[in-house]
């Protein structure tokens, strides 16, 4: 059997197995369990967020509509008291405890430990592999995550990588070793601090720079502006850092964030800022736009979010420092089933290879991605990337099809054509991800 | 007296849950409304709701919101402002496959049901 027919046989098997397996899956992640709602409330195909997911994220994992921590509007006259999410029986004004017992509610403890598991299994095919392994079927990652809010006063989010594919040593194991376990993010958000619109975030998190986290898409690979590196510097726009951040929704359509990053082992602090504004669609508080049901307007379905950011920092290896900055801008355009994303970032690194003789590098990276939702289970996308990271220019053309047989299961077929400074790479990827 | 108590007990046992003018049938995921007492226009609107809304969620969510006055997931009041907002949300939801006219009809139905529930 030729390698091509082997590949397609395996591809078909993977699809069939996924469909058969998914019929038995009964999995829902942490937020769905807490709020008793489906994944599609906040996601198109997970983990890509829709505008309500964005509002939920900006509201520090509390459902939108509550203007301040613990407050919500009174129920309308004549409204019943019962129901699974009824008003607090203790009658305390301003806070709702639902069906949670008083002791748990007073303690601020979520009724359920809000933990989720996300597993990623990839199949990749490279016609010209460096290590001679054309077809690779590997378990890539197992990530634990937890998130929620303590009585709507504080939000929290944690990701912990339990497994990521590491070195393969045939003398010790039949499968690749665990690369490392690590905390990806671990932070607490004090919502509406001092009764203001400002949220204060502390811990390890991804500083608010781009409009989207790198994981906020349906593809296997992330947008280049968020993940590219320069030289030996490990900084990326989407890197988790230890720091403090203040963010706020101003009015209802302007979002501002700024923070300080504390890098271990150096006194120099790093700083960043972000501004974004949304035209049309639901606002950042999740409020729907006013639509006239009797006439049509292009703004009924159109929304555009623009964002800009800047980061200034320093990292060092063996006390040899690299001062760097990134400035970027993003556009997120949504019209019914069509979505367009544009992202660009410009940067400068004074010494990204940490050499005794400084060698400054300038970087400039662009990405554009268009995607279309077919039905409610399939997204087709095409991305073009231009990456000048100071070492050469790379162009990528990435068509992708993502399929969600269940809302918690995603199968992605992605082809990457990468024309780099020294070679052309063609890689096909089949990624299977599920969360529970 | 004993037979009266027995009669009342039997009556209670076989009574369908009602909220003022609304007749709720079924429980949990199977919960829905009995539209037999609706005006013809609202009955037609209920047919749209029964087909379109259950594409993504059960009717229980809608029935609980209408009968309690509280949206079950957000905990927010479910009043006329909310029905319009939810209608707009569903209209703009890419895979809802609801036209403006269908959304308007369902919003009118929910407003009617809220009024009936308050009676």
């Amino acid at each position: 059997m030729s390698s091509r027919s082997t590949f397609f046989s395996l591809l078909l098997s993977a699809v069939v197995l996924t469909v058969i397996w998914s019929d038995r899956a009964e999995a829902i992640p942490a937020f769905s369990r807490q709020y008793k709602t489906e994944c599609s409330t906040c996601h198109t195909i997970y983990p890509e967020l829709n505008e309500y997911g964005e509002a939920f994220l900006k509201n520090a994992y509390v459902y939108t509509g509550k203007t301040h921590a613990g407050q919500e509007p009174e129920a309308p006259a004549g409204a019943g008291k019962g129901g699974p999410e009824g008003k607090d029986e203790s009658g305390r004004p301003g806070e709702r405890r639902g069906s949670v017992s008083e002791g748990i509610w007073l303690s601020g403890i979520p009724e359920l430990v809000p933990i989720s598991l996300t597993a990623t299994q990839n199949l990749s095919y490279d016609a010209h592999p460096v290590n001679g392994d054309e077809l690779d079927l590997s378990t890539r990652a197992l990530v634990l995550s937890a998130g929620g809010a303590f009585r709507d006063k504080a939000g929290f989010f944690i990701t912990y990588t339990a497994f990521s594919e590491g070195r393969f040593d045939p003398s010790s194991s039949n499968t690749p070793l665990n690369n490392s376990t690590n905390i990806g993010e671990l932070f607490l958000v004090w919502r509406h601090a001092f009764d203001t619109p400002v949220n204060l975030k502390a811990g390890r998190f991804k500083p608010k720079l781009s409009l989207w986290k790198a994981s906020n898409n349906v593809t296997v690979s992330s947008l280049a502006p968020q993940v590219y590196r320069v030289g030996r510097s490990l900084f990326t726009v989407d890197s988790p850092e230890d720091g403090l951040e203040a963010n706020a929704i101003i009015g209802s359509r302007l979002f501002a964030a700024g923070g300080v990053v504390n890098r271990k082992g150096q006194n120099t602090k790093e700083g960043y800022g972000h501004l974004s504004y949304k035209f049309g669609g639901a606002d950042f508080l999740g409020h729907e736009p006013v639509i006239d049901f009797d006439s049509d307007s292009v703004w009924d379905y159109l929304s555009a979010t623009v964002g800009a950011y800047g980061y200034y920092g320093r990292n060092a290896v063996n006390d040899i420092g690299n001062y760097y900055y990134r400035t970027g801008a993003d556009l997120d355009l949504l019209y019914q089933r069509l979505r367009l994303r544009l992202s660009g970032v410009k940067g400068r690194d004074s010494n990204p290879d940490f050499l005794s003789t400084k060698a400054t590098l300038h970087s400039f990276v662009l990405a554009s991605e268009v995607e279309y939702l077919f039905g409610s289970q399939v997204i087709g996308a095409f991305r073009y990337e231009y990456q000048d990271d100071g070492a050469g220019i790379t162009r990528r053309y990435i068509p992708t099809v993502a399929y969600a047989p269940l809302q918690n299961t995603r199968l992605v077929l992605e082809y990457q054509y990468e024309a780099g400074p020294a070679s052309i790479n063609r890689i096909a990827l089949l990624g299977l991800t599920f969360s529970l | 007296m004993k037979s009266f108590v027995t009669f009342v007990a039997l009556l209670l046992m076989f009574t369908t849950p009602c909220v003022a003018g609304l007749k709720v049938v079924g429980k949990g995921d199977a919960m829905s409304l009995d539209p037999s007492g609706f005006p013809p226009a609202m009955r037609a609107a209920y047919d749209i709701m029964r087909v379109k809304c259950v594409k993504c969620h059960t009717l229980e969510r809608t029935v609980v919101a209408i009968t309690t006055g509280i949206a079950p997931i957000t905990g927010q009041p479910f009043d006329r402002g909310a029905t319009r907002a939810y209608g707009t949300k569903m209209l703009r939801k890419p895979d809802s496959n609801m036209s403006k006219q269908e959304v308007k009809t369902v919003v009118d139905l929910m407003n009617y049901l809220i009024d009936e529930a308050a009676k």
Side-chain angles (χ1 to χ4, degrees):
Chain A
M1 192 186 281
S2 69
S3 60
R4 181 170 291 184
S5 58
T6 306
F7 170 65
F8 284 111
S9 299
L10 281 167
L11 190 69
L12 184 64
S13 303
V15 172
V16 170
L17 282 171
T18 302
V19 172
I20 292 169
W21 170 84
S22 62
D23 281 342
R24 300 196 305 270
E26 298 175 351
I28 45 169
F31 292 132
S32 275
R33 269 190 285 269
Q34 285 174 70
Y35 288 99
K36 299 179 176 64
T37 189
E38 58 277 6
C39 306
S40 65
T41 302
C42 290
H43 299 276
T44 51
I45 288 181
Y46 104 99
E48 182 182 81
L49 294 173
N50 61 26
E51 54 187 357
Y52 305 100
E54 289 286 354
F56 183 69
L57 182 67
K58 286 181 169 61
N59 207 31
Y61 313 112
V62 171
Y63 247 92
T64 55
K66 297 173 183 177
T67 53
H68 289 88
Q71 292 184 352
E72 65 176 280
E74 287 300 312
K81 226 182 166 185
E85 297 288 327
K87 280 285 189 184
D88 176 13
E89 290 166 10
S90 68
R92 279 182 191 82
E95 285 192 73
R96 184 171 64 91
R97 107 175 180 225
S99 58
V100 180
S101 75
E102 187 178 43
I104 289 175
W105 180 78
L106 287 172
S107 303
I109 301 169
E111 189 178 20
L112 300 169
V113 179
I115 292 178
S116 297
L117 288 165
T118 298
T120 305
Q121 181 91 29
N122 279 359
L123 184 155
S124 65
Y125 177 78
D126 186 347
H128 306 286
V130 176
N131 61 2
D133 187 3
E134 288 185 9
L135 189 67
D136 178 29
L137 175 61
S138 297
T139 297
R140 296 299 165 96
L142 176 65
V143 178
L144 282 75
S145 53
F150 302 135
R151 281 180 60 179
D152 300 349
K153 296 183 189 311
F156 67 94
F157 190 75
I158 302 164
T159 59
Y160 177 77
T161 304
F163 174 84
S164 64
E165 184 183 343
R167 191 171 57 87
F168 176 55
D169 180 2
S171 64
S172 64
S173 173
N174 284 320
T175 53
L177 301 173
N178 191 358
N179 193 32
S180 68
T181 57
N182 199 4
I183 293 169
E185 292 184 271
L186 193 163
F187 62 83
L188 196 69
V189 186
W190 179 12
R191 300 183 65 244
H192 306 298
F194 303 110
D195 213 24
T196 68
V198 177
N199 302 315
L200 296 175
K201 184 192 283 189
R204 180 176 300 180
F205 53 83
K206 296 179 176 180
K208 182 60 185 172
L209 297 175
S210 173
L211 286 181
W212 322 279
K213 281 186 177 182
S215 60
N216 186 356
N217 60 39
V218 295
T219 54
V220 174
S221 57
S222 302
L223 292 176
Q226 297 164 346
V227 295
Y228 85 97
R229 292 177 181 170
V230 177
R232 290 169 56 212
S233 170
L234 295 178
F235 177 83
T236 70
V237 166
D238 199 59
S239 298
E241 311 274 7
D242 294 318
L244 294 167
E245 179 180 295
N247 61 58
I249 297 169
I250 300 164
S252 61
R253 294 190 173 271
L254 179 66
F255 181 74
V260 178
V261 167
N262 178 49
R263 194 171 293 279
K264 193 82 174 172
Q266 70 179 32
N267 269 333
T268 308
K269 303 301 176 215
E270 304 177 27
Y272 62 92
H274 163 101
L275 273 178
S276 50
Y277 190 86
K278 187 172 183 184
F279 302 89
D283 63 25
F284 288 147
L285 297 171
H287 298 146
E288 289 296 336
V290 176
I291 285 182
D292 183 353
F293 288 146
D294 294 315
S295 65
D296 289 318
S297 162
V298 70
W299 287 102
D300 291 347
Y301 302 101
L302 180 66
S303 69
T305 309
V306 291
Y309 58 88
Y311 188 105
Y312 183 79
R314 175 192 184 271
N315 53 9
V317 172
N318 299 327
D319 286 334
I320 300 176
N322 168 44
Y323 290 88
Y324 57 91
Y325 76 80
R326 301 284 185 274
T327 55
D330 298 321
L331 170 68
D332 192 345
L333 207 62
L334 187 67
Y335 186 79
Q336 293 188 328
R337 294 171 172 273
L338 189 68
R339 185 175 192 175
L340 174 69
R341 295 200 235 203
L342 300 174
S343 182
V345 62
K346 190 174 182 305
R348 179 184 182 277
D349 289 63
S350 68
N351 189 13
D353 287 313
F354 308 105
L355 302 171
S356 51
T357 307
K358 283 187 178 180
T360 299
L361 287 180
H362 295 267
S363 55
F364 181 60
V365 182
L366 293 170
S368 61
E369 182 177 87
V370 62
E371 65 176 49
Y372 190 84
L373 177 67
F374 298 91
S376 55
Q377 294 180 310
V378 176
I379 286 180
F382 182 82
R383 188 194 305 161
Y384 168 73
E385 293 178 344
Y386 171 90
Q387 178 173 322
D388 179 359
D389 54 16
I393 294 172
T394 301
R395 291 182 174 84
R396 297 186 191 90
Y397 305 85
I398 307 172
T400 304
V401 176
Y403 168 57
L406 284 175
Q407 291 185 17
N408 70 329
T409 305
R410 178 178 53 125
L411 186 67
V412 182
L413 182 60
E414 181 169 313
Y415 177 75
Q416 299 177 2
Y417 178 91
E418 181 181 270
S423 62
I424 291 177
N425 297 314
R426 300 178 185 86
I427 300 171
L429 288 166
L430 182 69
L432 172 64
T433 306
F434 58 94
S435 290
L436 57 136
Chain B
M1 183 62 188
K2 192 177 174 183
S3 59
F4 175 72
V5 172
T6 309
F7 171 74
V8 171
L10 283 170
L11 193 67
L12 288 173
M13 279 175 66
F14 292 101
T15 299
T16 306
C18 285
V19 177
L22 297 181
K23 194 173 175 186
V24 179
V25 293
K27 287 182 178 176
D29 289 353
M31 186 183 285
S32 63
L33 294 169
D34 177 3
S36 58
F38 294 0
M42 292 300 129
R43 215 177 298 168
Y46 187 73
D47 285 339
I48 295 172
M49 176 192 269
R50 205 172 46 186
V51 172
K52 296 283 183 169
C53 300
V54 299
K55 184 172 177 288
C56 297
H57 59 82
T58 63
L59 277 185
E60 180 195 17
R61 192 177 295 180
T62 313
V63 173
V64 168
I66 288 164
T67 54
T68 64
I70 303 289
I73 293 170
T74 63
Q76 299 298 295
F78 194 77
D79 52 18
R80 280 174 174 264
T83 59
R84 189 171 183 85
Y86 279 104
T88 304
K89 181 175 178 177
M90 296 309 150
L91 175 68
R92 297 181 60 255
K93 194 174 166 62
D95 54 338
S96 71
N97 287 327
M98 290 186 82
S99 67
K100 262 192 178 178
Q101 186 54 48
E102 287 171 333
V103 168
K104 186 171 184 281
T105 303
V106 171
V107 168
D108 288 343
L109 170 65
M110 289 193 290
N111 290 338
Y112 162 78
L113 295 173
I114 286 173
D115 291 343
E116 288 298 302
K119 282 181 182 172

